[in-house]
Amino acid sequence: MGGTVKEVKSKAELDAAVATGAPAILHFWASWCNASKHMDQLFSHLSTDFPSSLFLRVEAEEQPEISEAHSVSAVPFFVFFKDGKVVDKLEGADPSSLANKVAKVAGSINPGAPAAPASLGLAAGPTVLETVKELAKGNGSASSPVGQKGQLAPGDELKVRLQQLIDSHPVMLFMKGSPEAPKCGFSQKVVDILKKEGVKYGSFDILSDNEVREGLKKFSNWPTFPQLYCKGELLGGCDIVSTMHSGGELKEVFRDHGIDIESSTGRNETQDGKGGVTESGLSSTLTSRLGGLINSSPVMLFMKGKPEDPKCGFSRKVVDILKQEKVEFGSFDILSDDEVRQGLKVYSNWSSYPQLYIKGELVGGSDIVLEMQKSGELQKLLAEKEITKESLEGRLTKLISSSPVILFMKGKPDEPRCGFSSKVVNALREEGIAFGFFDILSDEEVRQGLKVFSNWPTFPQLYYKGELIGGCDIVMDLKNGGELKSTLSE
């Protein structure tokens, strides 16, 4: 089936294709996602370069059974098979990585030739570069991810890009989705507030670029999204923007910074702001009923079926996540009441189910909830809303797993506060090993807790993939024996 991409219509069909043992690449996509469309064009070109491999496509939301089986929480998403087994995955729109991963799993283009990056192939080469350019345009950034790396250190290059994005508009919103199609309730609420304020603004979909998404958290020292900036300064997230809007402070900030404010229409001024409600035609009785249902439990799930008997895979997924997080929640079976089912879509401006609400605020559907769980944002939100309190053990586990190689040290890599920490930092740098770090002097709870958690009484402590390697003496022994790099890359 060289040169073609086959649409997969069922899990049985996928299993049969993979069972042949041939190299296979599966693309999860969505028709509403521009990044998916761009990557799908490249995917088709790659199928021409590697005619001995199977190129398969599945619409993620149309095939929940397949999506759930591979833990798909965002699109585009690629799964690579060889000999009937999953050997690799790729999340997000990264043309160069896709090309190279395809080459790796598919082998050489010509029999007997060594495997080469697919970007050097016959048909796909120009498409890789074109896709990079198109995605850069879509992200609102003039810079290409593959451009001019020699001029700046990687960290500096990202900082420059982030600052350019922040400064690209006087008012700039980093959100999930786009203003026309927000992908989480908090992003949607800020969009609605900006509409009411009559402010023109730029936006960036952080779901389209993981480098920006993760980099901006550190750059701004703000761990969640959305993030709203005015003249290059961070105003805050959804809660802060909502509070400023309610108190009239947001309008004052815009005026103080010379931001043009359009005249608000009467309709905008009279919107009640619940879930992005616009002129909808919902009766006051139904509106009141929906508000009451949403606020009937601190955590409320509108789903198909009941928690003990979900009627769709996406509803089951959210139920499982809430159980994993040990959260008590209320639920409403939207299949039992068509008035609620149709009315809530308008009330929340969210067209599908399930819908999860926390303290009356829409969080989103199954893909958003799964993504937030994977990134740790859900646990943070539940703690912030005082639904759950994160245990010290849970926090330490998350910190240890936050980077493949992470060093708990005194001070920072550029400013160690003890000789042992300095020696380990130098050893890692000399071996060319990238690592994350945590300054234990900045958090006494982590400092004391980690001693008990790891059963290791001193610092620094070096971890690899969640496992303790040891302290300064062990790290230096590994380095002197030529084993440090191999130990941290197994």
Side-chain angles (χ1 to χ4, degrees):
M1 57 178 293
T4 62
V5 177
K6 183 179 180 181
E7 198 77 32
V8 175
K9 297 296 186 182
S10 69
K11 188 172 186 298
E13 185 180 352
L14 173 62
D15 292 342
V18 171
T20 64
I25 305 93
L26 177 62
H27 177 201
F28 289 89
W29 77 297
S31 56
W32 48 261
C33 178
N34 286 330
S36 282
K37 294 176 183 177
H38 289 307
M39 292 297 286
D40 197 56
Q41 291 176 3
L42 172 59
F43 194 62
S44 296
H45 280 281
L46 289 168
S47 72
T48 302
D49 275 353
F50 297 95
S52 298
S53 299
L54 304 176
F55 284 77
L56 311 170
R57 180 198 294 118
V58 62
E59 188 148 7
E61 295 178 349
E62 296 298 320
Q63 299 293 337
E65 185 181 9
I66 302 176
S67 298
E68 289 171 21
H70 294 283
S71 301
V72 177
S73 61
V75 291
F77 190 95
F78 300 87
V79 181
F80 303 82
F81 301 86
K82 198 163 189 176
D83 299 325
K85 299 178 180 178
V86 175
V87 295
D88 203 354
K89 293 184 179 182
L90 173 65
E91 181 176 326
D94 188 338
S96 299
S97 291
L98 174 62
N100 282 281
K101 286 178 180 290
V102 168
K104 184 177 179 181
V105 75
S108 60
I109 298 172
N110 301 310
S119 56
L120 303 179
L122 300 174
T127 311
V128 172
L129 299 177
E130 187 62 31
T131 305
V132 169
K133 292 177 183 177
E134 288 299 320
L135 289 167
K137 289 179 188 175
N139 290 342
S141 170
S143 62
S144 166
V146 296
Q148 307 302 321
K149 287 191 176 180
Q151 296 181 7
L152 295 168
D156 291 337
E157 182 183 329
L158 178 57
K159 288 178 182 177
V160 169
R161 186 181 174 210
L162 293 174
Q163 192 64 60
Q164 288 174 340
L165 284 170
I166 290 169
D167 294 336
S168 62
H169 292 81
V171 179
M172 186 67 183
L173 176 64
F174 291 84
M175 62 180 291
K176 293 181 178 179
S178 65
E180 300 77 26
K183 296 299 178 187
C184 82
F186 301 107
S187 293
Q188 183 173 310
K189 186 166 185 179
V190 175
V191 166
D192 291 335
I193 287 172
L194 292 175
K195 286 180 181 177
K196 291 177 187 177
E197 292 285 348
V199 172
K200 291 182 178 180
Y201 62 97
S203 69
F204 185 94
D205 178 6
I206 54 95
L207 298 179
S208 70
D209 191 316
N210 199 55
E211 183 182 49
V212 170
R213 179 180 183 174
E214 296 304 321
L216 196 60
K217 291 178 184 179
K218 298 177 182 177
F219 185 86
S220 63
N221 194 26
W222 195 271
T224 59
F225 292 96
Q227 294 182 16
L228 183 65
Y229 291 77
C230 179
K231 291 291 182 77
E233 297 293 331
L234 176 66
L235 296 183
C238 181
D239 287 348
I240 290 178
V241 173
S242 297
T243 301
M244 292 177 71
H245 171 66
S246 300
E249 298 172 61
L250 192 57
K251 195 177 293 292
E252 292 177 8
V253 168
F254 290 145
R255 285 176 175 162
D256 289 346
H257 285 80
I259 305 299
D260 291 333
I261 299 177
E262 299 173 348
S263 298
S264 299
T265 64
R267 184 184 66 178
N268 282 343
E269 289 299 324
T270 57
Q271 289 174 359
D272 63 18
K274 291 183 180 179
V277 177
T278 58
E279 195 172 56
S280 63
L282 293 180
S283 68
S284 58
T285 301
L286 178 56
T287 299
S288 176
R289 184 185 175 205
L290 294 173
L293 285 171
I294 288 170
N295 290 284
S296 62
S297 176
V299 179
M300 188 67 185
L301 178 64
F302 292 82
M303 61 180 290
K304 293 180 179 180
K306 300 177 181 179
E308 59 274 13
D309 185 24
K311 297 299 183 185
C312 80
F314 295 114
S315 292
R316 179 182 292 111
K317 183 188 293 183
V318 177
V319 168
D320 290 343
I321 288 171
L322 293 174
K323 287 180 178 178
Q324 290 165 15
E325 297 292 336
K326 299 179 180 179
V327 174
E328 294 184 4
F329 63 98
S331 69
F332 186 94
D333 179 7
I334 52 95
L335 298 178
S336 69
D337 191 317
D338 198 58
E339 183 183 47
V340 171
R341 180 178 185 174
Q342 301 305 328
L344 193 61
K345 293 179 183 179
V346 179
Y347 183 95
S348 64
N349 195 20
W350 197 269
S351 60
S352 60
Y353 291 98
Q355 294 182 17
L356 180 67
Y357 293 78
I358 297 179
K359 292 287 183 76
E361 299 285 351
L362 174 66
V363 176
S366 63
D367 54 345
I368 297 297
V369 176
L370 177 59
E371 184 187 345
M372 290 179 69
Q373 185 197 37
K374 288 171 65 177
S375 67
E377 291 180 53
L378 181 60
Q379 197 172 67
K380 288 179 184 176
L381 177 62
L382 291 167
E384 286 171 4
K385 297 292 185 180
E386 298 183 345
I387 304 297
T388 61
K389 291 188 177 180
E390 186 177 20
S391 67
L392 176 58
E393 182 177 349
R395 187 180 174 212
L396 294 174
T397 299
K398 193 184 302 179
L399 283 171
I400 289 169
S401 303
S402 63
S403 178
V405 180
I406 184 161
L407 177 64
F408 291 83
M409 61 180 290
K410 294 181 179 179
K412 302 176 181 179
D414 293 334
E415 298 179 8
R417 300 291 296 276
C418 79
F420 300 112
S421 293
S422 180
K423 285 177 74 173
V424 174
V425 167
N426 291 335
L428 292 171
R429 285 178 169 172
E430 287 170 11
E431 295 292 328
I433 298 169
F435 64 97
F437 77 93
F438 186 92
D439 178 8
I440 53 95
L441 297 178
S442 69
D443 193 314
E444 188 66 18
E445 183 182 49
V446 170
R447 179 179 184 176
Q448 300 303 328
L450 198 59
K451 294 177 182 179
V452 178
F453 184 87
S454 63
N455 195 25
W456 194 271
T458 60
F459 291 96
Q461 294 181 17
L462 182 67
Y463 290 77
Y464 176 60
K465 291 187 175 179
E467 298 292 333
L468 176 65
I469 300 299
C472 181
D473 289 346
I474 290 177
V475 171
M476 296 312 297
D477 285 344
L478 288 170
K479 181 179 183 298
N480 294 334
E483 301 176 64
L484 183 58
K485 194 163 189 175
S486 60
T487 299
L488 300 180
S489 60
E490 293 176 351

